[in-house]
């Protein structure tokens, strides 16, 4: 009996040691901005030091910045995310490089990408007015082709197969992806992005359904009445020889016809 009780006590102590959580050890975190040179930063993060600092000033207020529970500072959160985007390595490997946990790397990637996505409208803008005229001039200097506002193309962005509607994301090359439409200007700056379609959708349908296509259609339809009125007005002026020709029945009928035709596109757009 004594041996049985002794074995029970040993077994209880063994279970207590198993259930007791391990003591958390917070390691000294590496600050790549202080350790690496400019060339080493570019090799590891694909950005130069001034660009990283500029990006930090844009999204710093959107990242969690607290001293509670040894939280990561915003700069280190950004560097962890950039390291993942530059290498595509596993979160555990990225965490080991700066002495943070695997879960922390995942949270950093989500928060930083969301912060960057929130400011996309400040940089991804299709040219208008003076900027559009400047873009046309830049394309004209490259190839002598007039009235070009951008170059459009589509690309497959590989993703993991989703659990819902999985066949829709298999593209013509046989892997799961999104079919992303992008437009750039003469300096290769992205001016429009549409990333809402699975890989099986054809390029032409993405263009037809995009906001950029609808914008061009509205401009084209909106200019039709103006062009029509200008042409018809010039034709009428060439036929008028005196003031008596202005107040004739034929002139009033032509003016009424121009007004009716000019209003048709407006009703079509509605």
């Amino acid at each position: 009996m004594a041996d049985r009780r002794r074995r029970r006590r040993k077994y209880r102590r063994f279970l207590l040691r198993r259930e007791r959580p391990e003591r958390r050890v917070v390691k000294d975190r590496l600050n790549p901005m202080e350790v690496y040179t400019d060339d080493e930063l570019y090799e590891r993060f694909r950005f130069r030091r001034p660009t990283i600092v500029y990006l930090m000033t844009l999204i710093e207020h959107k990242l969690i910045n607290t001293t509670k529970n040894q939280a990561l500072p915003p700069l280190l959160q950004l560097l962890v995310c950039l390291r993942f985007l530059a290498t595509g390595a596993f979160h555990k490997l990225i965490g080991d490089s700066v002495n943070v946990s695997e879960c922390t790397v995942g949270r950093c990637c989500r928060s930083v990408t969301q912060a960057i996505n929130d400011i996309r409208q400040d940089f991804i803008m299709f040219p208008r007015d003076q900027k559009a005229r400047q873009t046309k001039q830049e394309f004209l200097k490259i190839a002598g082709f007039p009235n070009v506002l951008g170059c459009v193309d589509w690309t497959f962005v590989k993703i993991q197969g989703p659990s819902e509607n999985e066949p829709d994301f298999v593209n013509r090359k046989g892997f799961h992806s999104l079919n992303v439409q992008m437009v750039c200007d003469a300096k290769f700056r992205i001016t429009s992005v549409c990333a809402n379609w699975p890989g099986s959708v054809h390029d032409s349908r993405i263009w037809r359904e995009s906001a950029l296509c609808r914008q061009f259609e509205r401009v084209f339809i909106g200019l039709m009445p103006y062009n029509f009125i200008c042409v018809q007005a010039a034709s009428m002026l060439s036929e008028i020889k005196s003031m008596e020709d202005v107040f004739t029945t034929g002139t009033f009928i032509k003016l009424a016809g121009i007004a009716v035709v000019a209003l048709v596109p407006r009703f079509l757009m509605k």
Side-chain angles (χ1 to χ4, degrees):
M1 292 294 294
D3 292 340
R4 184 178 299 177
R5 286 195 296 269
R6 191 180 303 110
R7 287 195 297 269
R8 288 179 178 175
R9 285 195 297 269
K10 288 183 178 180
Y11 183 68
R12 292 194 190 99
R13 287 196 295 268
F14 171 73
L15 292 179
L16 289 175
R17 285 195 299 268
R18 283 190 59 185
E19 296 176 356
R20 185 179 303 165
E22 295 183 1
R23 184 179 179 181
R24 182 183 179 187
V25 178
V26 179
K27 300 179 182 179
D28 292 334
R29 290 158 179 162
L30 177 67
N31 187 351
M33 299 287 283
E34 299 176 354
V35 176
Y36 299 128
T37 64
D38 290 344
D39 292 336
E40 291 173 338
L41 276 175
Y42 184 77
E43 291 175 355
R44 289 165 172 79
F45 300 97
R46 299 296 189 268
F47 285 98
R48 302 289 183 185
R49 190 185 304 270
T51 308
I52 295 176
V53 174
Y54 173 67
L55 186 58
M56 186 73 260
T57 59
L58 294 175
I59 66 173
E60 183 176 9
H61 64 284
K62 296 180 178 294
L63 301 179
I64 299 175
N65 186 12
T66 176
T67 58
K68 181 180 178 180
N69 200 20
Q70 301 295 326
L72 285 183
L75 178 59
L76 196 53
Q77 295 181 42
L78 172 63
L79 292 172
V80 168
C81 180
L82 292 181
R83 187 66 182 271
F84 171 72
L85 297 176
T87 62
F90 291 105
H91 288 184
K92 184 176 290 294
L93 297 178
I94 297 174
D96 292 342
S97 65
V98 292
N99 292 331
V100 298
S101 67
E102 180 180 3
C103 297
T104 301
V105 174
R107 287 192 293 268
C108 290
C109 291
R110 285 191 295 271
S111 60
V112 172
T113 51
Q114 182 60 48
I116 295 175
N117 186 60
D118 291 341
I119 61 174
R120 69 188 186 280
Q121 299 294 343
D122 298 335
F123 298 91
I124 303 177
M125 297 180 294
F126 198 75
R128 296 172 180 267
D129 302 329
Q130 179 60 32
K131 186 65 176 178
R133 290 189 288 270
Q134 180 181 349
T135 302
K136 292 179 182 180
Q137 290 296 324
E138 293 173 352
F139 275 110
L140 185 64
K141 293 178 181 178
I142 293 176
F145 200 91
N147 297 325
V148 177
L149 287 174
C151 297
V152 60
D153 200 1
W154 292 260
T155 184
F156 292 128
V157 178
K158 190 174 183 179
I159 61 172
Q160 293 183 351
S163 57
E164 297 181 1
N165 302 322
E166 181 268 341
D168 294 340
F169 291 85
V170 180
N171 58 33
R172 64 176 182 272
K173 297 183 180 180
F175 60 87
H176 297 89
S177 70
L178 296 175
N179 195 355
V180 180
Q181 173 187 288
M182 305 182 74
V183 181
C184 73
D185 61 9
K187 295 183 178 179
F188 304 103
R189 293 173 298 198
I190 297 175
T191 57
S192 177
V193 177
C194 180
N196 304 327
W197 296 90
S200 62
V201 180
H202 196 270
D203 299 348
S204 60
R205 182 185 177 189
I206 298 177
W207 168 253
R208 289 196 307 268
E209 300 292 337
S210 66
L212 187 60
C213 179
R214 292 194 295 270
Q215 176 181 336
F216 277 107
E217 290 176 346
R218 286 195 299 268
V219 172
F220 175 74
I221 296 176
L223 289 176
M224 286 176 60
Y226 173 78
N227 295 333
F228 176 77
I229 292 174
C230 290
V231 172
Q232 294 300 319
S235 176
M236 290 179 60
L237 288 174
S238 64
E239 297 175 357
I240 295 177
K241 304 300 181 181
S242 62
M243 288 298 296
E244 288 77 10
D245 296 336
V246 176
F247 300 101
T248 61
T249 305
T251 302
F252 282 108
I253 292 175
K254 290 181 180 180
L255 290 174
I258 292 173
V260 172
V261 175
L263 292 174
V264 171
R266 183 176 181 88
F267 289 105
L268 293 177
M269 292 178 65
K270 291 183 178 181

